[in-house]
Amino acid sequence: MKVKSILVSQPEPQTENSPYFDLAEKYKLKIDFIPFIHVAGVDVAEVRKQKVNLANHTAVILTSRNAVDHYFRIAEEMRFTVPNDMKYFCTSEAIAYYLQKYVVYRKRKIYFGKSTFGDLAPLFKKHKEEKYLLPTSDSLKPAIPQVLEESKVNYTRAVLYNTVSSDLSNLADVKYDILVFFSPSGIKSLYENFPDFEQGQTLIAGFGTTTHKAIEEAGLTVNIKAPHPKYPSMTMALEDYIKESNKK
């Protein structure tokens, strides 16, 4: 089957040089970007029920831009002035730079790993005395508490935002050759919107082992997997598949 249309379950890239746009142009594809999930902030009353006191912490662990945004949102709503000497531990340099939206970057104590949460373990060992706050969504990758426990980190988890399924009713009668997923939440949203969904001839692409597992547990087939030693990105995996299928 020749691939002509792809639905990516994420927001449309904001940069003009996205590899998705190159893929669409090169193979004359229709690629639509529709987020299957979105983030909803938890209100202050809910945070207080968790018995979270922002003032009791000397460091914040930030695993995403959402974590950054909702930490500072809750701080503002609780009328808590974040101290200038607060330490920030970020899973990547990109998240660390995103802090510039809220703090003067060069004047703050900001640490970051290369890309995975495990990269922060040596930093936690160097800063054992800190009392860490971990702002998260309602879902948390098991590797995160595992690394924190192994590093003997004194931390408090605060659920500051939830991952919520988007309303996809406008897609009810729309068909795509490939559906692309990046998280188990995307699969959950698919079935919350379309309980009777059947894969049929639709190809499914998944990024990450937890996504692959969620797809298979839903009784679906993962036709295109990423990352892969040969294809570290989803667009590279898609291109490899399309190159072969559109030859026929």
Side-chain angles (χ1 to χ4, degrees):
M1 184 186 77
K2 286 194 174 183
V3 174
K4 296 178 181 176
S5 61
I6 300 174
L7 174 60
V8 179
S9 60
Q10 282 190 330
E12 184 170 342
Q14 296 303 303
T15 56
E16 290 181 8
N17 58 352
S18 166
Y20 282 105
F21 300 146
D22 295 338
L23 198 63
E25 186 176 348
K26 186 173 180 180
Y27 294 96
K28 306 293 183 256
L29 304 170
K30 175 182 189 257
I31 301 183
D32 290 338
F33 298 88
I34 300 176
F36 275 39
I37 55 174
H38 63 275
V39 167
V42 169
D43 64 29
V44 170
E46 280 298 315
V47 176
R48 290 204 170 104
K49 280 182 190 174
Q50 298 175 50
K51 298 182 179 176
V52 173
N53 185 343
L54 301 185
N56 287 347
H57 301 88
T58 58
V60 187
I61 302 167
L62 299 166
T63 58
S64 68
R65 292 184 179 191
N66 283 324
V68 176
D69 287 336
H70 288 282
Y71 170 71
F72 285 97
R73 172 185 66 82
I74 283 293
E76 185 178 352
E77 290 176 8
M78 285 184 159
R79 295 178 182 171
F80 169 69
T81 303
V82 180
N84 290 341
D85 61 355
M86 181 67 76
K87 293 179 181 175
Y88 302 94
F89 293 77
C90 307
T91 49
S92 69
E93 189 174 12
I95 295 168
Y97 280 136
Y98 187 70
L99 276 167
Q100 292 179 107
K101 184 175 176 183
Y102 299 97
V103 301
V104 180
Y105 189 87
R106 60 187 174 79
K107 292 186 178 180
R108 298 293 182 269
K109 294 175 181 177
I110 299 171
Y111 310 88
F112 53 85
K114 291 179 182 176
S115 61
T116 68
F117 194 79
D119 294 337
L120 293 176
L123 291 169
F124 292 143
K125 286 173 184 172
K126 282 184 185 176
H127 299 270
K128 286 182 181 176
E129 72 289 351
E130 305 298 340
K131 293 179 181 177
Y132 293 88
L133 182 72
L134 175 67
T136 74
S137 72
D138 50 333
S139 60
L140 185 64
K141 291 179 182 175
I144 293 175
Q146 185 180 336
V147 170
L148 293 170
E149 297 299 333
E150 288 172 356
S151 302
K152 296 186 168 71
V153 169
N154 178 4
Y155 79 98
T156 303
R157 179 185 175 188
V159 176
L160 303 187
Y161 55 102
N162 294 323
T163 304
V164 181
S165 296
S166 301
D167 178 4
L168 305 173
S169 53
N170 60 329
L171 291 177
D173 299 315
V174 184
K175 303 294 181 189
Y176 290 88
D177 296 326
I178 301 178
L179 302 180
V180 185
F181 294 96
F182 294 87
S183 71
S185 301
I187 300 300
K188 181 184 172 191
S189 175
L190 174 69
Y191 279 97
E192 283 185 0
N193 280 278
F194 309 109
D196 301 322
F197 174 80
E198 291 182 5
Q199 185 169 357
Q201 296 297 307
T202 305
L203 301 168
I204 292 181
F207 190 89
T209 53
T210 57
T211 306
H212 301 157
K213 186 181 176 187
I215 293 168
E216 288 162 356
E217 285 178 349
L220 305 173
T221 300
V222 191
N223 305 101
I224 303 165
K225 289 186 177 182
H228 180 278
K230 285 172 69 180
Y231 322 114
S233 72
M234 177 52 77
T235 49
M236 289 172 74
L238 286 168
E239 179 166 17
D240 181 71
Y241 188 94
I242 292 163
K243 196 188 298 178
E244 290 303 313
S245 66
N246 287 13
K247 268 184 193 175
K248 301 167 187 176

